[in-house]
Amino acid sequence: MSSLNHCIKFELDIKDENIVFKDYFYKSIKLQKHKIYEAELIQPACPFCGSLDLLHNGHLIANIRYPTANASLPVIIRLAKQRVKCRDCDHWSMAQSELVNKYCSISNASKLKVLSALTEDRSMTSIARENNVSINTVQRVLGNCSHRFIDSYEYLPAHLAFDEFKGVDRQLHFICLDGDSHQVVQILRTRYKKTLLKYFGRFSPQARANVKTVTMDLNFYYQDIVRACFPNAQIVIDRFHMIQMLTHSFNSLRVQVMKTFDKRSRQYQLLKSPWKLYLKKFDELEKAHPRYNWHYKDCLTQAQVVMEGINTSTTLENSYNLMQSFIQAVETGNTHELKSLINCQDQIGTLMHKTLLTFKHNLTAVLNGAALPYSNGCLEGFNRKIKQIERTAFGYSNFINLLTRIRLEENQYKEKEPNSLLMTA
């Protein structure tokens, strides 16, 4: 075998002994310079009976796209596949190679490179441009991964986290994560109660009994699903959502009190311009170095601003003190203090009163959220990654493609059968 054949095979990293390279040259195709390799694919034996007594009957020329490090110089292998007839079994056949699948002009190496790029946060257009293939080819490679994700209904993690995110057509999709490993358990097309009951009902009783906690927001029917499907699970309300509801109700009260004063008054300016200070923890406010502010034309510390602002209304002051105590009790896991704050009888804002009634209605789950270390923080971070995937692709119109891309980028895909994966339609 010639040294040219060895050099080209070494350069292209091709190990198929039945491929023999004969020449290479440059050619302009559609105003772009291409590097063309001419090769022949030999059929050594009959694939049906293994006989070596073959009758050659011409070649089928196939132009195979091959990956290259230089995207501005595409590589094409002009492969001449032998057509043969077996003299023993009279079967006709054509030479095949692992370089490329039958009836396909995109090499398996190119598809693997596309698949590797799909695990990164990149658009399909940029992947197609880098690998000198069409966007449809990238979509086919992505579509051929979807059948690899098979659900197992024999195991569920001990700690689950429930939430939803906006996906295809701005619809809300259900997502469930493992609270310990932060791995995706399942992503469903819809978050309807009937759909979730049907999905979790497929798991074995032993798998559902293994679930110890389920972390969620204050979505009311999620709790019904937990009680119906997981007999040993404790419901845990996420701490972030509790504090978010409380701060939102206080902020609404602050705006309501602020509007009772004249816009040019000192009280109005103290409640309006430094609004972010009222939402911070009081221990984090600056108390030693006063600064001049032109809104209320005075030199005050952050703590002085907040104290003077909440003193404008007894209801606002009570609500602020309750919010600060609630945040501290949640952070320290003081369930006794938390329970007394939820049953508080002080004069507070109407919206905050409704928030406390909601907490009182879900008292056990709220106390679990403060006492147990589990939260939806991992789920919120994962939803942020999903938003970035959708933003890079300018949105998805196919839920299966979105689901596959999410799992590929999270390295959930384990390649076992590359040949079956890389088959094209």
Side-chain angles (χ1 to χ4, degrees):
M1 194 172 293
S2 66
S3 60
L4 176 64
N5 179 54
H6 286 295
C7 290
I8 294 177
K9 280 190 172 183
F10 180 80
E11 179 185 356
L12 299 180
D13 194 23
I14 295 177
K15 300 179 176 60
D16 194 336
E17 297 180 354
N18 296 326
I19 297 179
V20 179
F21 286 91
K22 299 180 178 179
D23 194 9
Y24 71 93
F25 55 90
Y26 295 95
K27 183 178 180 180
S28 179
I29 302 176
K30 294 182 180 180
L31 303 179
Q32 186 178 12
K33 188 177 181 181
H34 287 64
K35 193 173 185 179
I36 312 295
Y37 291 94
E38 288 189 341
E40 181 182 13
L41 179 58
I42 300 172
Q43 178 74 293
C46 176
F48 299 98
C49 65
S51 173
L52 301 179
D53 191 5
L54 304 176
L55 175 63
H56 296 277
N57 186 24
H59 298 82
L60 175 66
I61 307 298
N63 293 318
I64 311 300
R65 290 188 173 272
Y66 199 79
T68 175
N70 186 3
S72 62
L73 185 62
V75 171
I76 293 179
I77 300 177
R78 188 166 292 174
L79 190 62
K81 301 179 181 180
Q82 283 187 353
R83 288 188 296 221
V84 297
K85 180 182 179 181
C86 179
R87 298 181 188 272
D88 294 335
C89 64
D90 290 336
H91 277 100
W92 290 89
S93 62
M94 184 178 298
Q96 300 298 328
S97 172
E98 294 182 357
L99 175 69
V100 63
N101 293 329
K102 193 176 183 180
Y103 308 123
C104 187
S105 61
I106 309 295
S107 65
N108 291 336
S110 295
K111 295 177 185 177
L112 287 174
K113 190 176 179 181
V114 169
L115 180 61
S116 177
L118 285 171
T119 62
E120 304 170 359
D121 186 22
R122 298 175 55 190
S123 66
M124 292 187 180
T125 303
S126 66
I127 295 174
R129 187 184 300 116
E130 179 184 324
N131 293 277
N132 293 299
V133 296
S134 66
I135 299 177
N136 290 336
T137 298
V138 180
Q139 290 176 339
R140 282 195 295 268
V141 172
L142 180 66
N144 288 328
C145 298
S146 61
H147 72 283
R148 305 296 303 169
F149 306 121
I150 302 174
D151 295 321
S152 173
Y153 298 105
E154 299 300 325
Y155 171 75
L156 276 172
H159 305 283
L160 297 176
F162 287 1
D163 203 359
E164 60 274 338
F165 67 93
K166 285 185 180 180
V168 177
D169 296 331
R170 306 297 294 173
Q171 293 181 357
L172 289 173
H173 307 307
F174 173 78
I175 181 171
C176 176
L177 255 65
D178 185 342
D180 289 326
S181 65
H182 301 170
Q183 300 294 329
V184 180
V185 176
Q186 185 55 273
I187 299 176
L188 299 179
R189 188 184 298 269
T190 63
R191 63 178 186 132
Y192 300 141
K193 184 176 180 179
K194 181 175 67 174
T195 304
L196 301 184
L197 288 173
K198 182 179 179 181
Y199 170 72
F200 287 111
R202 295 174 182 171
F203 287 88
S204 64
Q206 295 79 8
R208 288 187 279 114
N210 183 54
V211 179
K212 305 301 181 186
T213 63
V214 179
T215 310
M216 64 185 71
D217 53 19
L218 285 159
N219 192 321
F220 69 96
Y221 67 79
Y222 281 173
Q223 301 186 29
D224 297 337
I225 293 169
V226 173
R227 296 187 186 100
C229 299
F230 310 116
N232 301 326
Q234 288 183 310
I235 299 173
V236 180
I237 301 298
D238 181 47
R239 296 183 289 275
F240 168 78
H241 287 88
M242 291 190 291
I243 296 176
Q244 184 187 45
M245 289 181 63
L246 210 61
T247 54
H248 174 72
S249 60
F250 171 79
N251 203 38
S252 299
L253 177 62
R254 178 192 59 82
V255 174
Q256 182 181 349
V257 173
M258 179 189 70
K259 290 182 178 180
T260 60
F261 298 101
D262 185 81
K263 291 186 177 181
R264 291 170 293 183
S265 65
R266 178 183 175 90
Q267 293 88 345
Y268 185 92
Q269 295 299 331
L270 284 169
L271 292 172
K272 180 176 176 62
S273 58
W275 63 271
K276 291 183 179 179
L277 299 180
Y278 294 93
L279 304 181
K280 293 179 65 175
K281 290 190 292 186
F282 187 79
D283 295 338
E284 297 178 358
L285 297 177
E286 177 62 50
K287 301 178 181 64
H289 304 287
R291 292 186 178 183
Y292 180 81
N293 190 294
W294 66 273
H295 288 286
Y296 38 85
K297 296 179 178 56
D298 200 353
C299 194
L300 300 173
T301 63
Q302 292 181 348
Q304 289 174 337
V305 170
V306 172
M307 293 304 297
E308 187 174 346
I310 63 176
N311 286 335
T312 57
S313 170
T314 304
T315 304
L316 186 64
E317 182 179 5
N318 294 337
S319 300
Y320 180 81
N321 293 332
L322 188 146
M323 179 184 70
Q324 292 293 327
S325 300
F326 191 94
I327 294 174
Q328 185 177 5
V330 168
E331 290 183 347
T332 57
N334 190 342
T335 56
H336 296 287
E337 176 69 14
L338 202 62
K339 189 173 181 180
S340 64
L341 290 172
I342 292 174
N343 296 313
C344 177
Q345 301 297 325
D346 294 340
Q347 183 182 357
I348 57 177
T350 304
L351 187 57
M352 182 169 285
H353 179 68
K354 292 181 179 179
T355 301
L356 293 182
L357 286 179
T358 304
F359 292 162
K360 189 174 183 180
H361 181 71
N362 303 275
L363 184 60
T364 303
V366 169
L367 297 179
N368 287 338
L372 298 176
Y374 302 100
S375 72
N376 270 14
C378 58
L379 200 48
E380 297 297 335
F382 193 86
N383 286 346
R384 174 64 180 83
K385 294 180 181 179
I386 295 176
K387 289 180 182 178
Q388 182 59 43
I389 292 172
E390 294 178 318
R391 189 179 296 113
T392 302
F394 298 96
Y396 280 82
S397 59
N398 188 300
F399 176 74
I400 300 299
N401 287 345
L402 173 61
L403 176 62
T404 305
R405 192 68 187 273
I406 291 171
R407 296 199 175 186
L408 281 174
E409 292 202 19
E410 286 302 306
N411 296 323
Q412 296 300 307
Y413 173 73
K414 303 295 183 182
E415 183 186 350
K416 294 181 180 179
E417 301 177 9
N419 290 334
S420 62
L421 167 66
L422 298 172
M423 290 179 61
T424 57

